């Protein structure tokens, strides 16, 4: 089984303006590209201006409107400024992706309080800031928010206490927002990617060929995911096919949260 470029009908996102945080590399950038190929207008934010400019150039080359700003999502005023800039440029916001994250392996007894706080602030506070700043302006009949979480949210993980705590917070946050904002026509969900090939996350957590093999063998589906797997799920959540879906965590994990499948024999 593998992804085609898109299994969805063309121009599913035509007329939609999407505000995507942390979408200048890896999984989230692939989501931005996928949305652009479906006709969306895209606004991206991350800390590095070079990465923002490079992403905007790639998106514009696809023939759609795109813009962005270098913003650290830990600063609420800066996020608000980017939202206003997006509104000034494109006039509306229909969809928000809160995708940024910070990760490094470190034992709880070894990391500083500031190291722990950094990840909580990027992942959890950053997700709140993006959702909070956008919500007043979000489309009130077809508004759609997607956060990117991780399997660490539901399973204790060695040397990931900061990430586990932050992503568990993201999972609960999106459920609370879904409950509060559903009556205003806004759906709020999260996607939990499993180990995704060729990403910064996997480089940090499984940086050697041996670790990658071990990870792959532990998965029920016995292969790493692709960035397209996550882009497909994001596009589905934006589509009318998901119109009755809110407050959920969509696991696109190859079975990560099921547990270790390395001992399972093939039939
Ligand atoms: C211990 C560390 C550390 C490490 C940083 N710190 N790296 N502690 N081990 N490897 C500490 C620092 O010493 C400092 O504490 C505090 O963390 C903040 O560090 P800064 O460098 O000042 O922070 P900042 O510039 O804000 O950078 C944030 C970051 C960085 C998280 C530390 O790595 C980053 O920018 N990451 C973004 C990209 C990323 O992580 N992508 C992967 C996402 S994948 P002191 O006490 O010294 O001040 C993912 C899930 C993967 O999330 C799941 C796979 C299954
Ligand atoms: P990545 O390439 O490192 O992407 C992280 C993005 O967030 C970058 O665009 C980065 O750009 C931005 N960012 C980081 N800190 C920020 C901040 N404070 N403010 C604004 N932007 C910030 O990582 P990835 O591996 O593709 O992961 C993407 C998402 O998927 C994350 O939420 C991660 O937790 C989740 N995930 C990944 C995997 C995996 O296998 N990779 C598995 C499960 C979940 P700047 O550096 O320019 O800020």
């Amino acid at each position: 089984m593998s992804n085609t470029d898109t299994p969805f009908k063309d121009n599913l996102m035509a007329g939609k303006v999407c505000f995507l945080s942390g979408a200048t590399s890896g999984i989230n950038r692939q989501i931005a590209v996928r949305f652009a190929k479906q006709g969306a207008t895209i606004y991206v934010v991350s800390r590095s201006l070079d990465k923002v400019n490079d992403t905007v150039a790639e998106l514009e080359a696809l023939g759609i409107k795109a813009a962005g700003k270098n913003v650290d999502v830990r600063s609420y005023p800066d996020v608000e400024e980017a939202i206003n800039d997006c509104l000034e440029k494109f006039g509306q916001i229909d969809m928000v992706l809160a995708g940024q994250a910070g990760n490094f392996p470190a034992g709880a007894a070894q990391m500083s309080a500031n190291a722990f706080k950094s990840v909580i602030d990027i992942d959890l506070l950053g997700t709140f800031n993006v959702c909070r700043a956008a919500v007043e302006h979000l489309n009130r009949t077809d508004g759609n928010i997607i956060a990117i979480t991780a399997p660490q949210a539901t399973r204790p993980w060695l040397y990931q206490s900061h990430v586990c705590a932050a992503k568990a917070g993201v999972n609960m946050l999106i459920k609370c927002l879904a409950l509060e904002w559903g009556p205003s026509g806004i759906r709020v969900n999260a996607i939990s990617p499993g180990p995704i090939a060729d990403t910064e996350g996997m480089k940090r957590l499984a940086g050697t060929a041996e670790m990658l093999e071990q990870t792959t063998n532990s998965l029920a589906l016995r292969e790493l995911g692709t960035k397209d797997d996550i882009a497909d799920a994001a596009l589905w959540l934006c589509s009318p096919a998901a119109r009755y879906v809110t407050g959920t965590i969509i696991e696109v994990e190859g079975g990560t949260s099921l547990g270790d499948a390395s001992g399972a024999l093939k039939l």
Side-chain angles (χ1 to χ4, degrees):
M1 256 191 310
S2 69
N3 306 92
T4 54
D5 191 38
T6 174
F8 296 95
K9 74 182 175 101
D10 290 341
N11 268 339
L12 204 58
M13 301 288 282
K16 305 271 186 212
V17 177
C18 305
F19 181 98
L20 314 183
S21 66
T24 61
S25 64
I27 292 169
N28 305 318
R29 181 162 168 162
Q30 190 72 359
I31 293 173
V33 167
R34 177 61 63 85
F35 287 179
K37 285 182 176 172
Q38 289 285 335
T41 294
I42 308 282
Y43 193 99
V44 290
V45 298
S46 82
R47 293 165 301 179
S48 154
L49 183 58
D50 283 350
K51 284 165 75 176
V52 168
N53 288 341
D54 187 64
T55 306
V56 169
E58 181 184 1
L59 295 168
E60 284 178 333
L62 294 169
I64 56 108
K65 284 187 276 183
K69 205 170 182 49
N70 54 318
V71 163
D72 189 323
V73 296
R74 288 171 283 192
S75 162
Y76 186 79
D78 290 358
V79 173
E80 214 173 22
E81 205 180 305
I83 291 282
N84 288 334
D85 187 47
C86 175
L87 287 166
E88 226 166 80
K89 287 189 165 70
F90 303 132
Q92 66 193 64
I93 299 176
D94 303 283
M95 189 275 158
V96 171
L97 179 93
Q100 77 292 327
N103 197 341
F104 47 82
Q110 285 79 37
M111 79 175 93
S112 69
N114 191 44
F116 186 85
K117 181 179 185 298
S118 296
V119 170
I120 298 288
D121 285 357
I122 296 170
D123 292 24
L124 180 54
L125 178 65
T127 298
F128 175 82
N129 286 346
V130 169
C131 296
R132 171 68 183 86
V135 71
E136 288 166 43
H137 311 283
L138 253 184
N139 183 328
R140 287 295 155 89
T141 52
D142 193 19
N144 184 17
I145 296 176
I146 302 174
I148 302 296
T149 183
Q152 283 92 328
T154 57
R155 205 184 107 187
W157 204 290
L158 282 174
Y159 312 124
Q160 290 278 276
S161 61
H162 45 343
V163 176
C164 291
K167 294 293 197 183
V170 169
N171 283 17
M172 185 51 80
L173 175 66
I174 69 107
K175 287 174 188 287
C176 291
L177 301 185
L179 194 63
E180 290 188 22
W181 297 347
S184 303
I186 297 166
R187 293 185 296 115
V188 190
N189 294 286
I191 298 172
S192 177
I196 304 300
D198 303 320
T199 58
E200 183 61 30
M202 284 308 286
K203 209 184 296 169
R204 289 176 183 228
L205 294 191
T208 64
E210 197 187 353
M211 287 167 95
L212 274 181
E213 196 186 337
Q214 207 178 7
T215 302
T216 306
N217 286 338
S218 74
L219 294 167
L221 292 187
R222 293 274 160 84
E223 60 173 308
L224 299 180
T226 68
K227 291 174 232 176
D228 278 326
D229 287 322
I230 309 307
D232 284 346
L235 192 56
W236 173 74
L237 275 175
C238 291
S239 77
R243 60 159 217 103
Y244 205 52
V245 178
T246 198
T248 62
I249 315 297
I250 309 290
E251 293 177 355
V252 187
E253 295 183 352
T256 305
S257 291
L258 301 175
D260 184 354
S262 56
L265 301 174
K266 283 194 183 175
L267 301 176

